[in-house]
């Protein structure tokens, strides 16, 4: 859900207008009559007061910080004028005319209180306008709205019987509450902006409080009320309040629904969203009636902004409701709570009403500096001020002495009782006196902490954590099994397929390193969790918690009280001793209350005592000392009573000390003290164990969070390994198919090479095929002396036995050459040798022609280099030999059955698998076969 508009439109009351006031004649007359001085001497002061008021009148046209300062300065001088001129008493005939702020009806009053109240009203209105100014400074706007609320409240608190409706209690209360609600509104905007539109519990409570404030304001100005009729000339004010009441009710329910969505409370959530949609629709409808074009209480752009805000809220509510309804229908199936059954929203109203001291940034000091000195400071008789100051100082001395006496007595009593350990020690003795045998029971605090320590919370947490780590270990083992199977398959196929196996080694998979790191962390977590739980076991089984494991009845090692025999042996008077001690303490408390009451009455009497009028009447009689003594005698009775209270208090303290000494020496009291010391030690042990218990719980909770993260990592690695293994299976199938194709191609290439070598001994090209086929290609020319080829078998794939060194050619296992007559090829007669042939069985094979045998390793083209153990050097036989040794006849025995290799995870092995390169050399030359193949 998105936050409301960053700058919701704010309303403000209109300013009161006033007519000019003639100060010179009435003030001059009073100066001449009351003070007996020439009015002309004060013409400058009167002119200054006139100018201040004229400047204040112009503040209505500015409504900015300058206008605010002019109003404050004039109001401060009005407070001084009241000290010099009794305008409210009718002795100074000054008339003040003001227009009603809402109805513009003029009202004239010869009252300085009316003038002050009107000025204060305008101060509040100007401060509210400053708060509503754009672009908005959120911090200053929030502060100014609180100040405006406090200023309007000041009018209700200090002025009674308002002559106009705009200064009436109902109107002023409405304006004060409205300013406070708007301050809450700005606070909500700031809270949501700081959280980037994210709804928190704090924001939800603020929104609910704001909705409640505007709902109350709406009921005050609802159609049909007197206040609504009075504000009819400025309809934008009550209309805006009505829109915001609906709008913020919708916002409050949306905020609550957002929190419920996180908690899956769809029953209440859907009901809240339905309320939000209904309230938002009402807000959209009401916003159309807000006309701020020519309003004196709302900015011109306020009306359209309010409408857009209401429409945006309705769109958000509808979208949220549709999505939540779908989720509930498909997933949760929660029953929707009826609107009347919805619980009330938690509300929080933070703004407070601030007074004049907070209007300016500098507080009261800046306000006093702005007002300046009293304009009529020279008009007051200094003699009267001096006499009043002397009398005030004498009253202060009487009060200070009484307060000091009371404070000394309180300190003495507190010190004496603290030494005795009261009131805790007295309560313990009283408990011991109330039973025959009082055991040292477990302290409630220790019992509460013990229940937590010995409870099942930590074992449950550890069981959960152990289950999670066990699942993790199983998951790691399963992943490792996949990788091990892939490694084994990779090794077998790499040995079987050779160069045709193009897959990367399984040991180099990056998932192996990730799995190893994960396994290490899992093992470390298991060890760490076990150590944490072992620490908890040590705490639970510690000796300090033995009383908790036994129960509250065994907390104390011995009873604090005695048995029935102790009562018979003289301990029965313990109860009366404790009761007497309690009575002495009660006497001390009673005397303290009497002192407090006496001081309160004395302070009130002194602060309300004013003899200024008496001093003025007797200013010329010089009887000031007599007046002071007679007036101060009114406080003598308070000081005398206080002295008597002090004497009684000190006597009561001595009684308490004596009674405690006797009671503390009683055997039963000593047992109580011993039991209390045991309780103290037990409580300390339990507190230490509880701190370790909380640390263990914190570590286990952190371990659960860490295990959850490891599970996520394990799941990710498992998905990756499964994907890699699946992909390698597909690649393996491709390699097997390629291997089969290469094997067939190599067989064909070998057969072609065999045919080419046999055709090299033909003296003439073979005749054309009777069917008209092309003649076979001419035989390849010899490339140097060629060694004789040993015989091989195409089925066994084995090498013929090597001849003995120095044996004749017939001894090598070769038969006389018989030209082949296969197919349509004529037999080839070898030409007579011109030089004795060289038989070098150790000579290197002929060079390999690139591309002659694709896919078949490094097989030689014209020669063969036998393995080292089969190479022999023999002299050439007498009489010479043909260039190519004849092939032996075909083997007559059947080939032995080959053992089928086991099938791997990638499928069955091919019928004829490629042998490693070291075995390929032993299979050359190619086995003879049917040429038609």
């Amino acid at each position: 859900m998105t936050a409301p508009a960053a700058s919701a439109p704010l309303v403000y009351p209109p300013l009161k207008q006033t007519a000019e006031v003639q100060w010179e004649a009435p003030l001059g007359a009073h100066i001449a009559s009351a003070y007996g001085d020439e009015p002309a001497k004060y013409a400058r002061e009167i002119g200054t007061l006139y100018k201040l008021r004229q400047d204040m009148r112009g503040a209505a046209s500015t409504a900015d910080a300058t206008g605010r300062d002019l109003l404050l300065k004039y109001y401060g001088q009005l407070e001084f004028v009241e000290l010099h001129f009794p305008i409210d008493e009718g002795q100074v005939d000054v008339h003040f005319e003001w227009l009603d702020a809402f109805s513009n009806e003029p009202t004239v009053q010869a009252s300085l209180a009316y003038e002050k109240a009107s000025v204060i009203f305008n101060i509040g209105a100007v401060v509210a306008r400053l708060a509503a100014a754009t672009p908005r400074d959120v911090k200053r706007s929030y502060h100014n709205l609180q100040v405006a609320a406090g200023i309007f409240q000041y009018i209700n608190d200090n002025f009674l019987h308002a002559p106009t409706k705009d200064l009436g209690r109902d109107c002023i209360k409405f304006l004060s509450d409205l300013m406070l609600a708007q301050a809450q509104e700005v606070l909500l905007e700031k809270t949501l902006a700081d959280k980037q539109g994210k709804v928190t519990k704090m924001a939800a409570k603020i929104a609910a409080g704001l909705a409640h404030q505007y709902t109350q304001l709406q009921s005050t100005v609802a159609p049909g009320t007197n206040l609504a009729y009075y504000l009819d000339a400025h309809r934008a004010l009550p209309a805006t309040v009505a829109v915001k009441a609906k709008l913020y009710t919708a916002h409050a329910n949306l905020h609550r629904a957002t929190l419920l969505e996180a908690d899956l409370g769809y029953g209440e959530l859907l009901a809240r969203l339905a309320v939000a949609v209904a309230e938002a629709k009402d807000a959209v409808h009401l916003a159309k009636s807000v006309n701020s074009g020519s309003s004196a209480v709302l900015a011109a752009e306020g009306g359209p902004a309010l409408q857009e805000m209401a429409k945006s809220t309705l769109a958000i509510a509808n979208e949220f409701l549709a999505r939540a309804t779908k989720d509930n229908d498909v997933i949760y199936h929660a029953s929707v709570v009826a609107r009347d059954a919805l619980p009330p929203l938690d509300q929080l109203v933070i703004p407070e009403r601030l007074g004049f001291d907070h209007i300016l940034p500098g507080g009261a000091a800046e306000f006093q500096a702005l007002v300046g000195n009293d304009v009529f400071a020279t008009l007051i008789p200094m003699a009267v001020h001096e006499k009043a100051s002397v009398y005030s100082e004498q009253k202060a001395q009487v009060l200070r002495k009484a307060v000091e006496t009371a404070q000394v007595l309180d300190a003495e009593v507190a010190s004496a009782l603290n030494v005795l350990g009261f009131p805790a020690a007295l309560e313990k003795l009283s408990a011991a006196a109330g039973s025959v045998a009082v055991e040292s029971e477990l302290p409630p605090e220790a019992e509460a902490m013990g229940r937590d320590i010995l409870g099942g919370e930590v074992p449950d947490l550890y069981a959960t954590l152990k289950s999670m780590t066990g699942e993790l270990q199983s998951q790691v083992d399963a992943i490792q099994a996949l990788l091990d199977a892939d490694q084994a398959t990779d090794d077998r196929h790499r040995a079987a397929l050779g160069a045709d196996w193009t897959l990367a080694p399984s040991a180099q998979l990056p998932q192996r390193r990730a799995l190893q790191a994960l396994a290490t962390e899992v093992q470390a977590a298991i060890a760490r969790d076990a150590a944490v739980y072992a620490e908890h076991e040590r705490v639970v089984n510690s000796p300090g918690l033995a009383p908790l494991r036994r129960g509250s009845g065994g907390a104390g090692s011995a009873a604090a009280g005695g048995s029935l025999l102790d009562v018979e042996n003289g301990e029965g008077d313990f109860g009366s001793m404790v009761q007497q001690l309690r009575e002495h303490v009660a006497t001390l408390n009673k005397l303290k209350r009497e002192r407090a009451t006496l001081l309160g009455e004395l302070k009130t009497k002194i602060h309300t005592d004013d003899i200024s009028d008496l001093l003025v009447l007797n200013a010329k009689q010089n009887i000031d000392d007599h007046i002071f003594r007679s007036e101060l005698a009114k406080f003598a009775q308070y000081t005398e009573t206080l002295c008597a209270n002090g004497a009684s208090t000190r006597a009561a303290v001595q009684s308490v000390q004596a009674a405690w000494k006797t009671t503390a020496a009683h055997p039963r009291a000593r047992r109580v003290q011993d039991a209390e010391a045991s309780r103290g030690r037990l409580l300390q042990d339990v507190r230490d164990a509880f701190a370790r218990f909380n640390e263990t719980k914190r570590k286990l909770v952190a371990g659960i969070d860490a295990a959850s993260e490891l599970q996520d990592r394990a799941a990710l690695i498992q998905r990756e390994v499964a994907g890699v293994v699946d992909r390698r299976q597909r690649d393996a199938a491709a390699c097997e198919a390629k291997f089969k194709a290469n094997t067939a191609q190599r067989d064909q290439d070998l057969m072609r090479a065999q045919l080419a070598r046999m055709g090299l001994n033909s003296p003439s090209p073979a005749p054309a095929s009777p069917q008209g086929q092309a003649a076979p290609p001419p035989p390849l020319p010899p490339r140097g002396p060629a060694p004789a080829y040993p015989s091989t078998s195409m089925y066994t794939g084995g090498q013929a036995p090597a001849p003995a060194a120095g044996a004749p050619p017939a001894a090598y296992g070769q038969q006389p050459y018989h030209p082949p007559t296969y197919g349509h090829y004529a037999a080839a007669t070898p030409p007579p040798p011109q030089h004795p042939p060289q038989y070098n069985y150790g000579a290197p094979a002929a060079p390999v022609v690139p591309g002659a045998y694709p896919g078949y390793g490094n097989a030689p083209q014209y020669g063969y280099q036998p393995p080292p153990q089969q190479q022999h050097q023999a002299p050439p036989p007498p009489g010479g030999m043909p260039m190519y040794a004849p092939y032996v006849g075909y083997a007559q025995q059947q080939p032995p059955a080959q053992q089928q290799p086991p099938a791997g995870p990638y499928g069955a092995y091919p019928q004829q698998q490629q042998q490693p390169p070291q075995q390929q050399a032993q299979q050359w030359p190619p086995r003879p076969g049917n040429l038609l193949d």
Side-chain angles (χ1 to χ4, degrees):
M1 194 202 78
T2 58
S7 297
L10 302 177
V11 294
Y12 40 83
L15 292 169
K16 291 173 67 67
Q17 304 296 325
T18 182
E20 292 187 11
V21 172
Q22 298 298 328
W23 295 98
E24 185 175 0
L27 295 185
H30 182 74
I31 291 172
S33 60
Y35 295 95
D37 204 348
E38 291 293 333
K41 294 181 181 181
Y42 303 95
R44 185 174 61 86
E45 288 81 358
I46 295 174
T48 300
L49 183 62
Y50 177 82
K51 185 177 183 302
L52 287 175
R53 194 176 193 279
Q54 288 298 104
D55 294 340
M56 179 273 299
R57 292 179 62 201
S61 61
T62 57
D64 54 8
T66 302
R68 176 201 62 193
D69 293 344
L70 293 174
L71 286 165
L72 289 174
K73 188 172 184 179
Y74 176 69
Y75 174 75
Q77 290 299 327
L78 283 180
E79 294 286 353
F80 291 135
V81 168
E82 188 177 22
L83 300 176
H84 304 286
F85 304 97
I87 299 177
D88 289 334
E89 299 175 6
Q91 298 180 21
V92 182
D93 190 18
V94 180
H95 293 82
F96 304 96
E97 180 181 358
W98 286 85
L99 302 181
D100 191 285
F102 297 94
S103 63
N104 289 330
E105 295 179 2
T107 301
V108 179
Q109 289 281 321
S111 171
L112 192 61
Y114 177 58
E115 175 79 352
K116 290 166 60 177
S118 299
V119 173
I120 294 173
F121 183 96
N122 275 0
I123 292 174
V126 169
V127 173
R129 286 172 180 262
L130 290 176
T134 54
R136 180 180 303 167
D137 183 347
V138 176
K139 185 176 180 180
R140 292 302 305 168
S141 177
Y142 178 72
H143 176 78
N144 286 333
L145 288 169
Q146 292 182 95
V147 170
I151 289 175
F152 286 119
Q153 185 63 32
Y154 181 83
I155 296 176
N156 265 356
D157 294 341
N158 295 274
F159 299 92
L160 304 176
H161 312 295
T164 57
K165 291 184 179 181
D166 56 352
L167 298 177
R169 301 190 65 82
D170 293 341
C171 182
I172 292 300
K173 183 179 184 306
F174 168 76
L175 294 177
S176 177
D177 293 343
L178 177 60
M179 296 300 108
L180 203 64
Q182 292 189 134
Q184 178 94 345
E185 184 177 0
V186 173
L187 176 63
L188 176 62
E189 296 173 2
K190 181 67 167 59
T191 303
L192 293 175
D194 291 344
K195 298 297 182 179
Q196 298 180 352
K198 181 180 179 181
V199 176
T200 61
K201 291 184 178 180
M202 175 66 73
K205 291 181 180 180
I206 294 175
L210 179 59
H212 177 73
Q213 286 177 293
Y214 271 111
T215 302
Q216 295 295 324
L217 289 171
Q218 182 189 17
S219 64
T220 304
V221 295
T225 61
N226 294 334
L227 197 56
Y229 179 79
Y230 170 66
L231 299 176
D232 186 69
H234 297 274
R235 296 179 181 176
L237 183 59
T240 301
V241 170
V243 172
K244 289 188 176 182
K246 297 292 185 180
L247 182 63
Y248 286 109
T249 300
H251 275 290
N253 283 277
L254 281 174
H255 282 56
R256 177 59 181 165
T258 303
L259 298 178
L260 289 171
E261 184 180 28
D263 298 334
L264 303 181
Y266 273 75
E268 183 181 349
L269 181 147
L270 293 174
R272 294 290 181 190
L273 291 178
V275 173
V277 170
E279 296 293 334
K281 289 181 179 179
D282 293 342
V284 172
H285 175 71
L286 293 173
K288 297 177 181 179
S289 62
V290 179
N291 182 11
S292 59
S294 59
S295 175
V297 297
L298 186 64
E301 66 276 8
L306 198 61
Q307 295 177 20
E308 289 299 323
M309 190 174 177
K311 292 178 181 178
S312 175
T313 301
L314 179 59
I316 293 172
N318 280 326
E319 189 273 336
F320 196 178
L321 178 59
R323 176 166 50 84
T325 301
K326 181 179 178 181
D327 292 345
N328 186 58
D329 293 340
V330 175
I331 302 173
Y332 303 102
H333 308 290
S335 299
V336 180
V337 180
R339 179 169 183 173
D340 296 336
L342 286 174
L345 297 173
D346 294 335
Q347 302 175 11
L348 179 62
V349 177
I350 297 178
E352 300 176 348
R353 293 178 173 87
L354 304 179
F356 280 91
D357 293 343
H358 299 83
I359 295 179
L360 299 177
E366 185 176 355
F367 177 71
Q368 186 61 39
L370 177 65
V371 173
N373 296 326
D374 184 7
V375 175
F376 296 95
T378 59
L379 188 60
I380 301 176
M382 290 301 300
V384 174
H385 280 292
E386 292 174 355
K387 294 175 183 179
S389 298
V390 173
Y391 179 72
S392 298
E393 178 60 26
Q394 293 181 2
K395 291 191 298 181
Q397 290 178 2
V398 173
L399 182 58
R400 283 196 298 269
K401 185 178 180 179
V403 171
E404 182 179 356
T405 301
Q407 290 177 348
V408 170
L409 289 173
D410 291 342
E412 291 177 358
V413 173
S415 176
L417 295 180
N418 288 337
V419 170
L420 301 178
F422 282 18
L426 181 59
E427 294 299 330
K428 295 167 186 174
L429 292 179
S430 301
S435 62
V436 175
V438 179
E439 294 185 355
S440 178
E441 298 178 354
L442 286 175
E445 180 182 359
E447 290 183 351
M449 291 187 291
R451 285 193 297 270
D452 292 340
I453 296 173
L454 301 178
E457 184 175 4
V458 167
D460 291 344
L461 287 175
Y462 181 68
T464 301
L465 184 55
K466 191 173 181 180
S467 175
M468 295 176 68
T469 53
E471 294 176 0
L472 264 173
Q473 187 62 50
S474 300
Q475 197 169 6
V476 169
D477 294 342
I479 300 173
Q480 185 63 47
L482 282 177
L483 292 176
D484 291 344
D486 182 77
Q487 176 68 46
T489 302
D490 179 74
D491 294 342
R492 290 194 300 270
H493 282 71
R494 191 173 301 278
L497 303 186
D500 287 324
W501 182 256
T502 59
L503 271 69
S506 178
Q508 298 178 3
L509 292 179
Q511 288 76 15
R512 291 184 177 273
R513 293 190 295 273
L515 182 61
Q516 180 63 30
L518 177 64
T520 302
E521 293 185 25
V522 170
Q523 292 299 324
I526 293 174
R528 183 175 60 251
D529 299 338
V532 170
Y533 188 71
E535 174 65 19
H536 173 70
E537 292 292 337
R538 288 192 292 272
V539 171
V540 171
N541 298 321
S542 60
L545 299 185
L548 291 175
R549 294 193 294 271
R550 292 195 301 267
S552 62
S557 59
S563 63
L564 291 175
L565 295 177
D566 297 329
V567 178
E568 296 177 356
N569 292 333
E571 293 191 7
D573 59 342
F574 180 71
S576 61
M577 296 170 64
V578 173
Q579 181 61 31
Q580 185 180 6
L581 186 59
R582 293 180 64 88
E583 291 175 357
H584 291 317
V585 174
T587 301
L588 285 176
N589 293 332
K590 180 181 178 182
L591 292 172
K592 183 177 180 179
R593 290 192 298 270
E594 291 177 356
R595 285 195 303 274
T597 303
L598 190 65
L599 280 179
E601 294 176 358
L602 180 59
K603 290 179 181 180
T604 302
K605 190 74 172 179
I606 290 177
H607 290 162
T608 58
D609 183 53
D610 186 14
I611 62 171
S612 297
D613 54 345
L614 186 60
L615 292 176
V616 172
L617 293 175
N618 298 278
K620 298 180 181 181
Q621 297 181 12
N622 196 19
I623 56 173
D624 298 335
D625 293 340
H626 176 73
I627 294 174
F628 294 163
R629 285 194 300 270
S630 61
E631 293 296 326
L632 291 176
K634 298 181 295 187
F635 312 118
Q637 57 177 336
Y638 295 98
T639 58
E640 293 173 358
T641 305
L642 187 60
C643 291
N645 180 277
S648 301
T649 299
R650 291 186 176 91
V653 168
Q654 294 176 358
S655 301
V656 169
Q657 291 173 341
W660 170 257
K661 184 177 181 180
T662 303
T663 307
H666 198 280
R668 195 167 182 181
R670 289 196 296 269
R671 287 195 294 270
V672 171
Q673 293 172 359
D674 294 340
E676 183 60 27
S678 176
R679 283 163 55 92
R681 290 191 298 271
L682 172 61
L683 181 59
Q684 184 60 41
D685 292 341
V686 173
R687 285 174 178 170
D688 295 341
F690 189 69
R692 296 166 65 187
F693 162 76
N694 285 332
E695 180 64 16
T696 299
K697 187 169 64 173
R698 183 192 64 78
K699 290 180 179 179
L700 290 179
V701 172
I704 290 176
D705 295 339
S708 178
E709 295 179 1
L710 292 178
Q711 285 180 339
D712 295 340
R713 286 176 54 191
L716 178 60
I717 294 174
Q718 189 171 27
R719 290 194 298 269
E720 291 180 357
V721 168
V724 168
V725 170
D726 181 70
R727 185 165 57 252
R728 289 173 64 87
Q729 288 178 351
R730 294 193 299 269
D731 295 343
C735 288
E736 291 177 358
K738 179 180 177 182
F739 174 78
K740 293 178 180 179
N742 291 342
T743 300
Q745 182 65 34
R746 281 194 292 268
D747 290 343
Q748 296 177 7
D749 293 342
L750 290 174
M751 185 62 66
R752 293 192 189 99
Q754 182 179 0
L755 294 175
R757 284 194 298 271
M758 289 188 299
L760 289 176
N761 294 329
S762 176
S764 61
S769 175
Q771 287 83 1
Q773 296 179 350
L780 295 174
R783 297 176 60 90
Y789 291 89
S791 175
T792 59
S793 174
M794 65 177 291
Y795 294 111
T796 63
Q799 183 74 33
Y812 291 172
Q814 298 177 349
Q815 300 297 328
Y817 177 76
H818 298 281
T821 57
Y822 306 109
H824 303 283
Y825 293 93
T829 302
Q834 298 180 5
H835 300 281
Q838 301 294 328
Y839 297 92
N840 187 6
Y841 292 95
V848 177
V849 179
Y853 299 93
Y856 194 69
N858 296 322
Q861 182 177 7
Y862 297 110
Y864 166 68
Q865 180 179 2
Q869 65 273 18
Q870 296 181 5
Q871 296 179 0
H872 301 278
Q873 295 289 340
M881 290 187 69
M883 181 177 294
Y884 294 98
Y887 287 92
V888 299
Y890 300 106
Q892 300 299 322
Q893 70 272 15
Q894 295 294 329
Q898 297 183 2
Q899 182 177 1
Q900 185 69 17
Y906 299 144
Y909 283 94
Q911 294 297 326
Q912 181 179 0
Q913 63 182 15
Q914 181 182 358
Q915 296 182 0
Q918 62 271 20
Q919 298 179 5
Q920 293 179 9
Q922 298 179 7
Q923 294 178 354
W924 186 265
R927 63 194 180 200
N930 190 346
L931 295 182
L932 295 179
D933 294 340

